[in-house]
Amino acid sequence: MKKLILPLTLLSSIAAADTLNWDGRVFEPVNVKAEIVDFQGEKVMKVERDLEAFPFEKSIEVETVDDRHFLKLKNFEFRDGTFEVKLLSRIQQPTPMASSQGFIGLYFRVNDDNSAFESIYLRPNAGRSDIQAMRNHTVQYFAFPGYKFADLRDEAPGLYETWADIGLDEWITMRIQVTGEKAELYLNDAKYASFIVNKMKGTSKAGTLGLYVDIGTEGYFKDLKIISSIHPDTGDI
C-alpha cells in the first residue's frame, strides 16, 4: 500500500490557531475547527476536521484518517489515569464522505509535538446497523504512528475493535482508564468495561488529551473530567 507522509512542519504551520478557553482549561486546535456553541440549551464544544489544513483523499483513505486532527488540551501531562467526557456526533450535511460513521472519540498520551499518541474512538452510525460486520466496527483503538485502523485489522482482525449499543445524535459518556500498557473503555456509566486493549501499540508513554473527530463528523463535547492522573516524572496524583 502506498503511504502518504504529511510533514509535521507543514501541518504544524497550517494548524496554528488561537487557543480556546473552555471550562477553565486551555485547548489548541490541531487541524480542526473548534468553537463553543449553544447546543440543546447548553454551552458545549463543537469540533470538526479542517479539510483545508489537513485534506482527505479518498484514493488514499487510510493514509489521511486516524491522524493529527484533534483539539489538544494544553498544560496537562499524565502517564496513567482515568478521564471522561460526554460526546455526540452527527454526519455533516452535505457530507464530504458518504460512508462517514460519525467518527468521534479521544486521544491520550499525546506527546509535545503531536508525533505519537494513543486513541479510542467511536463510529456511532455503525452501532445499530442492520449488518453485523458493520456493528463489529463500532469501537476502535489505534496508535499513531504506525497502527491505524486498517493496519490493526490486518494484524489481528477483531482484536482492536468491537460492538457497542450507541447511535448518532445522542450523548454518549466515554470513560477511559489507562494503566501501563492497558486501556479500558466504559460507555454510558457501565459497571464493566465495554472494550479492553490489553497491550497498547503506541510509543508515547505520557502526554496530554485530545478531542478527536474525523472526516464527515460534526462533533460535540461536554463535561470533560480528569478523574485521576499520575504525572510521568514525579508520580504525583
Side-chain angles (χ1 to χ4, degrees):
M1 180 184 295
K2 182 180 178 181
K3 294 288 186 180
L4 174 69
I5 305 298
L6 298 174
L8 279 171
T9 52
L10 174 61
L11 290 173
S12 298
S13 63
I14 292 174
D18 293 336
T19 58
L20 293 89
N21 292 284
W22 179 46
D23 287 347
R25 299 186 177 99
V26 179
F27 293 81
E28 175 192 0
V30 180
N31 300 311
V32 296
K33 298 176 180 179
E35 60 178 331
I36 298 169
V37 299
D38 290 310
F39 182 74
Q40 298 180 350
E42 298 180 275
K43 294 283 188 182
V44 304
M45 183 66 76
K46 181 181 179 182
V47 184
E48 297 176 286
R49 179 169 164 176
D50 187 340
L51 295 177
E52 293 183 1
F54 199 148
F56 169 78
E57 298 291 342
K58 182 62 179 177
S59 61
I60 47 173
E61 179 178 333
V62 174
E63 289 85 349
T64 54
V65 298
D66 290 359
D67 216 299
R68 292 147 290 177
H69 36 82
F70 62 105
L71 186 63
K72 184 176 185 177
L73 174 61
K74 302 290 286 182
N75 307 316
F76 175 69
E77 187 177 22
F78 84 106
R79 183 183 71 226
D80 294 345
T82 303
F83 41 94
E84 177 181 293
V85 71
K86 291 182 173 64
L87 43 78
L88 178 151
S89 69
R90 295 173 168 176
I91 306 298
Q92 290 175 330
Q93 298 299 329
T95 179
M97 181 183 181
S99 58
S100 177
Q101 301 299 312
F103 313 105
I104 192 168
L106 289 167
Y107 286 177
F108 51 97
R109 291 182 177 171
V110 183
N111 67 359
D112 289 341
D113 65 2
N114 306 327
S115 63
F117 47 83
E118 311 273 7
S119 174
I120 297 177
Y121 69 87
L122 310 175
R123 300 184 182 94
N125 196 43
R128 295 172 190 144
S129 171
D130 292 333
I131 302 170
Q132 184 60 47
M134 286 296 297
R135 288 190 177 209
N136 295 342
H137 300 320
T138 307
V139 179
Q140 180 73 55
Y141 162 81
F142 82 92
F144 184 90
Y147 297 95
K148 296 188 177 185
F149 80 92
D151 302 307
L152 295 172
R153 284 182 189 174
D154 288 342
E155 177 182 314
L159 183 61
Y160 295 100
E161 55 190 325
T162 194
W163 171 78
D165 184 14
I166 57 173
L168 291 171
D169 208 19
E170 63 186 40
W171 285 109
I172 302 163
T173 300
M174 190 174 185
R175 176 163 52 95
I176 298 177
Q177 181 174 313
V178 179
T179 309
E181 296 181 320
K182 185 176 183 179
E184 298 173 85
L185 170 68
Y186 295 80
L187 291 173
N188 293 330
D189 304 313
K191 182 178 179 180
Y192 300 103
S194 301
F195 179 58
I196 299 173
V197 182
N198 292 107
K199 187 176 177 62
M200 292 186 287
K201 310 288 284 188
T203 59
S204 179
K205 304 306 179 186
T208 188
L209 301 174
L211 308 180
Y212 153 92
V213 297
D214 211 328
I215 185 72
T217 300
E218 184 179 297
Y220 298 89
F221 299 84
K222 67 178 183 178
D223 299 342
L224 175 64
K225 298 176 183 177
I226 298 169
I227 298 170
S228 67
S229 64
I230 297 177
H231 193 276
D233 297 325
T234 66
D236 292 340
I237 297 175

